Amino acid sequence: MKIYVPIDSAAKALGAEDVVRALVQAAADSGQAVEIIRTGTRGMIWLEPLVEVETDGVRYGFGPATPEDAAAILDGTSVKALGPVEDLDWMKRQTRLTFARVGVTDPLSLDDYQAHGGLAGLRRALGLTGQEIVDEVKASGLRGRGGAGFPTGIKWQTVHDAQASRKYIVCNADEGDSGTFADRMIMEGDPFTLIEGMTIAGLGVGATKGYVYLRSEYPDAIKVMRRAVDIARGAGVLGADVLGSGRTFDMEIRVGAGAYVCGEETSLLNSLEGKRGVVRAKPPLPALEGFLGRPTVVNNVISLATVPVIFEKGAQHYADFGLGRSRGTVTLQVAGNVARGGLFETAFGISLDEVVNDLGGGSASGRPVKAVQVGGPLGAYMPVSKFDAALGYEELDAEGGLLGHAGLVVFDDTADMLGMARFAMEFCAVESCGKCTPCRIGAVRGVETIDRIAQGDADALPLLTDLCETMKDGSLCALGGFTPLPVMSAVTHFPDEFVRTKEAAE
Amino acid sequence: MALPDPVIDEGEIARIVEDHLHLEGPLLPILHALQEAYGCVPAASHGPVATALNITRAELHGVISFYHDFRDAPAGRHVLKICRAEACQSVGGTALAEATLTKLGLDWHGTTANGAVTVEPVYCLGLCACAPAVMLDDRVVGRVDAARMDAVLAEAGA
Ligand SMILES: Cc1cc2nc3c(=O)[nH]c(=O)nc-3n(C[C@H](O)[C@H](O)[C@H](O)COP(=O)(O)O)c2cc1C
Ligand code: SF4
Ligand code: FES
């Protein structure tokens, strides 16, 4: 009997290892021969640990499983039975392109990877010129999934056109935004797709070396990625002769050191070079003077991990999904106080309401939903009145929001919006790289000003508004520049919570 | 209570530094390796590292102090990281963190008197769909409530 159990951190955090031990024990007790295969997660985190039992080629789900469920899962009597996993609503409604293999295959089996379409994109790319590769990415409409949404093909073109003896591909795996875990899920669940995407990027722009800058908060992802790179090198996917083509590409995994700002691409490059993670002024663009002063592609994990499927299925196939200028799929991460949280990959254009209330099932607490913070700590709090907003870069921007890395954090009606605004300022103060005054000092003032509002000082609110303007205009990067977004969205949409009488405060 | 300073072996420091010098941008890997070996980046390593990389000790200090991860003294035997970020806050993470600190009689970054556990804040562990989340050393725990936190603390010997 073949049994699949996720090895993803979220599944482990919910007890997957205990479930695996119980399954092994129950199989021994009942004398059944079972093969347990560890996979990534399907992304239905509310069902984790999700055990899948294969019968006649169909995988039947059981979850959320506890060790006590093991025997009944094996003998087919478990009340946690969910039916075929592929038939679950959450799975059926997705368009899984980037995440096609995650939760399905053994993350570290290169055979499994290839049996499910892996390396087909790279093989195709090996027959193309650098310019043809860049053109394909342009035609796909892929935009950076790290936050800014910059067209990936145009970035690659700049690096392609730059003349230099060495160029680099740097993968931004710093994923510091609260409410996001897509990068982690793909690195733990399908690491070869990132390796393949970086290799194609290398072929496209003429880079022979890649780095993944991976945050230290992700020890499991670090282990999987390191192992995957070794395996890929051993199998000739990486190295001096990529798949026997005579072309060179190799890569290393580098670990961050707990600084949120190092997710900003120039800060990341400084960190990779062994410097303080201070943001660099642009220009020069990293595409021209990046790592060690050389032309460098810096792309998010999801951007790069989407490249293989674009080459496997063709740019047009990818571009056919989406809305307006947001082409392809968005890997939504539904998190926080939500009944059904997890990863949901779908064409751009789905509404906030459908994601939160329909797919997500509303709040986990059962209380009314109050707001959703979209796009991480630098993203706006969207009130329920804006839930018609479509999830696309321009569409959300038009509603005063920010898609960012597509994390959605749901809050119920007990959320203290003044407290959340204060936290945004506090976070900015803690994580500021220190280069510009409006961010370094402004964020500290922001915390103090919000404390004054909380104490019923009516003069403080205009000060907060001014301060946010100053931060927005006078900051070099989006940490200082966008912290005003969550703050002012809270003020704008929940004004009552920022008007406090002295008596109420006392 | 801080643990006693680690025993520093100059030969080992030199070897750790040497092992990484072929890398492009070797400093962070060196600092991580030193911390892995000694539980911190020991002061005794600053001279050799600065010399090997041809940077001043002041520059080296600037780098070490920039990053939240690097310590100048070892933590307790276990490190408990409690997520303070938004998704965890949305499901009671703040109260959980405060209750835990109160129970242990610690502030953030503090270490229990028996040296068992150092408690650190962390901003997101990527477990935001099963929040609140904590990490004990390298082991992640999700949907943490008071009972689960007690089990984690007991396991760590706090
Ligand atoms: C404070 C700050 C933090 C950021 N954190 C990340 C991050 O964790 N991951 C990421 O991919 N991009 C992050 N970015 C965006 C990067 O600067 C950059 O736009 C991105 O890596 C480019 O890749 P993409 O075009 O594939 O999105 C951050 C930006 C700022 C200002
Ligand atoms: S806005 Fe803040 S984080 Fe960004 S460069 Fe300025 S000081 Fe650094
Ligand atoms: S916000 Fe706590 S794990 Fe992401």
Side-chain angles (χ1 to χ4, degrees):
Chain A
M1 188 194 273
K2 264 193 184 171
I3 300 183
Y4 300 84
V5 186
I7 197 163
D8 181 273
S9 298
K12 284 164 82 174
L14 296 170
E17 301 315 295
D18 290 340
V19 170
V20 167
R21 270 190 291 277
L23 285 166
V24 170
Q25 185 62 49
D29 291 348
S30 61
Q32 294 184 68
V34 300
E35 181 191 356
I36 297 185
I37 299 154
R38 305 304 296 269
T39 63
T41 172
R42 298 272 192 168
M44 298 175 285
I45 304 302
W46 77 99
L47 293 178
E48 293 291 359
L50 174 62
V51 176
E52 298 181 25
V53 177
E54 190 173 293
T55 312
D56 300 330
V58 177
R59 283 159 66 163
Y60 292 84
F62 299 86
T66 63
E68 293 71 40
D69 296 323
I73 289 174
L74 293 186
D75 68 24
T77 60
S78 175
V79 294
K80 302 274 179 74
L82 301 161
V85 174
E86 301 281 355
D87 291 349
L88 294 173
D89 187 51
W90 183 278
M91 296 305 299
K92 276 201 310 207
R93 287 167 70 178
Q94 291 186 68
T95 302
R96 279 177 94 118
L97 298 178
T98 309
F99 277 77
R101 281 173 296 264
V102 179
V104 177
T105 56
D106 170 351
L108 288 173
S109 164
L110 201 51
D111 289 340
D112 226 3
Y113 182 66
Q114 295 192 71
H116 289 81
L119 298 184
L122 176 55
R123 289 207 165 87
R124 189 179 149 223
L126 281 168
L128 303 176
T129 64
Q131 186 59 53
E132 284 167 340
I133 291 175
V134 172
D135 287 343
E136 185 79 357
V137 174
K138 281 187 192 161
S140 75
L142 179 67
R143 291 166 69 180
R145 302 292 190 244
F150 188 81
T152 304
I154 294 179
K155 188 182 283 186
W156 288 21
Q157 185 72 62
T158 308
V159 180
H160 172 273
D161 294 347
Q163 299 298 318
S165 57
R166 280 205 92 162
K167 301 177 186 179
Y168 296 98
I169 308 297
V170 171
C171 171
N172 188 341
D174 202 48
E175 196 167 60
D177 290 0
S178 168
T180 66
F181 42 82
D183 297 354
R184 179 186 66 63
M185 264 183 65
I186 209 141
M187 289 189 287
E188 293 181 4
D190 194 20
F192 294 124
T193 198
L194 176 56
I195 294 172
E196 184 179 349
M198 289 178 69
T199 308
I200 295 172
L203 296 171
V205 305
T208 51
K209 179 84 198 220
Y211 290 95
V212 179
Y213 185 91
L214 217 172
R215 67 198 298 253
S216 63
E217 293 86 345
Y218 284 177
D220 287 316
I222 293 167
K223 282 188 207 112
V224 178
M225 281 307 307
R226 289 212 158 122
R227 189 79 197 93
V229 167
D230 285 345
I231 293 169
R233 198 178 289 134
V237 175
L238 291 174
D241 187 18
V242 171
L243 293 177
S245 64
R247 311 283 297 274
T248 300
F249 189 77
D250 211 332
M251 57 190 279
E252 274 174 47
I253 309 302
R254 288 291 176 85
V255 178
Y260 174 76
V261 73
C262 287
E264 194 284 332
E265 56 187 1
T266 61
S267 159
L268 183 155
L269 292 170
N270 275 336
S271 184
L272 208 53
E273 290 177 8
K275 299 178 181 148
R276 293 164 65 86
V278 174
V279 174
R280 300 178 184 170
K282 287 188 257 189
L285 291 174
L288 295 173
E289 289 179 38
F291 183 53
L292 301 173
R294 296 180 176 125
T296 303
V297 168
V298 183
N299 270 141
N300 172 254
V301 174
I302 300 298
S303 313
L304 289 163
T306 300
V307 168
V309 73
I310 291 172
F311 281 80
E312 181 196 342
K313 306 221 159 149
Q316 194 56 46
H317 178 82
Y318 191 76
D320 282 344
F321 297 96
L323 172 74
R325 288 178 49 218
S326 308
R327 306 315 312 168
T329 56
V330 58
T331 52
L332 298 170
Q333 299 129 87
V334 190
N337 195 333
V338 66
R340 294 189 288 272
L343 184 118
F344 191 89
E345 181 177 355
T346 186
F348 282 98
I350 191 172
S351 76
L352 208 45
D353 182 62
E354 182 175 353
V355 176
V356 174
N357 289 320
D358 183 2
L359 290 162
S363 73
S365 61
R367 302 183 63 95
V369 171
K370 179 172 185 175
V372 179
Q373 187 178 28
V374 186
L378 308 176
Y381 286 96
M382 304 294 283
V384 176
S385 61
K386 294 216 174 230
F387 273 23
D388 286 341
L391 293 167
Y393 295 104
E394 284 71 28
E395 292 73 14
L396 210 58
D397 184 64
E399 293 292 334
L402 173 85
L403 185 59
H405 191 41
L408 279 66
V409 178
V410 181
F411 291 81
D412 73 10
D413 64 347
T414 61
D416 163 14
M417 299 313 292
L418 181 140
M420 296 319 297
R422 184 186 192 280
F423 177 79
M425 285 292 191
E426 186 189 347
F427 183 72
C428 181
V430 172
E431 298 296 336
S432 169
C433 85
K435 187 153 179 161
C436 13
T437 317
C439 168
R440 188 184 69 241
I441 309 288
V444 177
R445 291 283 170 275
V447 173
E448 295 164 4
T449 311
I450 294 173
D451 284 342
R452 282 173 55 190
I453 297 173
Q455 283 150 19
D457 180 345
D459 299 335
L461 191 54
L463 287 178
L464 181 64
T465 309
D466 284 352
L467 183 65
C468 281
E469 281 302 316
T470 308
M471 287 176 72
K472 213 159 73 183
D473 297 339
S475 295
L476 187 58
C477 86
L479 182 48
F482 276 64
T483 292
L485 190 56
V487 174
M488 290 313 294
S489 64
V491 170
T492 308
H493 300 306
F494 305 95
D496 297 354
E497 300 190 35
F498 291 81
V499 182
R500 299 205 177 170
T501 57
K502 283 219 163 69
E503 301 78 69
E506 278 153 13
Chain B
M1 183 194 83
L3 294 186
D5 280 344
V7 182
I8 307 296
D9 171 345
E10 280 174 31
E12 191 183 3
I13 289 182
R15 186 182 53 72
I16 290 173
V17 174
E18 184 63 34
D19 277 354
H20 294 91
L21 282 181
H22 66 286
L23 299 176
E24 296 179 304
L27 183 50
L28 256 63
I30 289 174
L31 297 176
H32 277 302
L34 287 167
Q35 184 144 306
E36 176 78 25
Y38 299 109
C40 67
V41 180
S45 70
H46 292 191
V49 171
T51 306
L53 298 188
N54 200 17
I55 56 176
T56 65
R57 288 183 69 132
E59 280 174 87
L60 176 62
H61 176 78
V63 173
I64 296 172
S65 61
F66 183 85
Y67 297 97
H68 299 302
D69 279 4
F70 299 126
R71 306 172 184 285
D72 43 24
R77 286 186 292 283
H78 299 283
V79 175
L80 175 66
K81 293 190 173 163
I82 306 181
C83 180
R84 290 195 63 204
E86 289 90 342
C88 287
Q89 292 185 44
S90 77
V91 283
T94 308
L96 177 81
E98 278 167 10
T100 306
L101 290 170
T102 306
K103 181 171 176 167
L104 298 176
L106 298 178
D107 279 329
W108 290 114
H109 309 289
T111 302
T112 54
N114 64 2
V117 188
T118 301
V119 183
E120 301 276 2
V122 65
Y123 297 95
C124 195
L125 292 164
L127 300 170
C128 332
C130 54
V134 305
M135 184 156 76
L136 181 67
D137 302 325
D138 276 1
R139 197 169 66 80
V140 287
V141 191
R143 267 190 227 123
V144 181
D145 54 13
R148 237 179 231 186
M149 183 64 95
D150 284 347
V152 169
L153 294 176
E155 184 189 323

